[in-house]
Amino acid sequence: MKKLEDYVVSIPDFPEPGIIFRDVTSILQDGDGLHLAIDSLLKMLDGMDFDVVLGPESRGFIFGMPVAYALHKSFVPVRKKGKLPRKTVSAKYELEYGTAEIEIHEDAIRPGQKVVIIDDLIATGGTIEAIVGLVEQLGGEVVKICFVMELAGLKGREKLKKYPVESAIVYEGK
């Protein structure tokens, strides 16, 4: 049986020379790869006590939803600003070239709820750092953050060092 990293297509010099782009969509395109990714995330949560799975748009939806379903937990989507229909809380965060803003419904997390965040990739950690801030603003407790892939060379874990972080695949570079 193949390992999860065997399903990842690596594209050299994209989006610029010297960068190796790790394409998570190649995992999704293979039923065995997708199954292995979800099973890896489920294993990270084995025996954990939590209430809510939270996933950022859009690949956090893809990987977080089946985990929430399998463990009979609720799922909270984190969206780009202006996409949610009810009252929200939002957070701005830094991108490589500028800023972005994300939001969740203000009633999505209740005080005291234990939250697991699931996403496809951790790079610089800025998006997840903003999401953690929203969870805590609403009174939730982040108990674990899970990723399919991690680009360790970008040091995203440093922004999340107060939280348990686990990745199915860790690439040492950027």
Side-chain angles (χ1 to χ4, degrees), residues 4 14 21 35 52 78 86 104 110 131 133 135 137 143 172:
L4 183 57
F14 183 83
F21 185 85
H35 194 87
V52 177
V78 179
R86 300 190 322 266
I104 61 176
R110 292 186 307 279
I131 291 169
V135 170
Q137 178 183 338
V143 295
E172 293 307 318

Side-chain angles (χ1 to χ4, degrees), residues 52-65 68 74-80 102-104 109 115-120 127-128 131 135 146:
V52 177
V53 173
L54 187 147
E57 186 172 351
S58 65
R59 291 175 303 268
F61 295 6
I62 293 168
F63 292 105
M65 183 60 87
S74 63
F75 180 81
V76 172
V78 179
R79 301 289 317 263
K80 294 173 185 166
I102 53 170
E103 58 188 10
I104 61 176
I109 305 293
V115 178
V116 167
I117 300 170
I118 295 180
D119 204 1
D120 68 322
T127 305
I128 300 300
I131 291 169
V135 170
C146 303

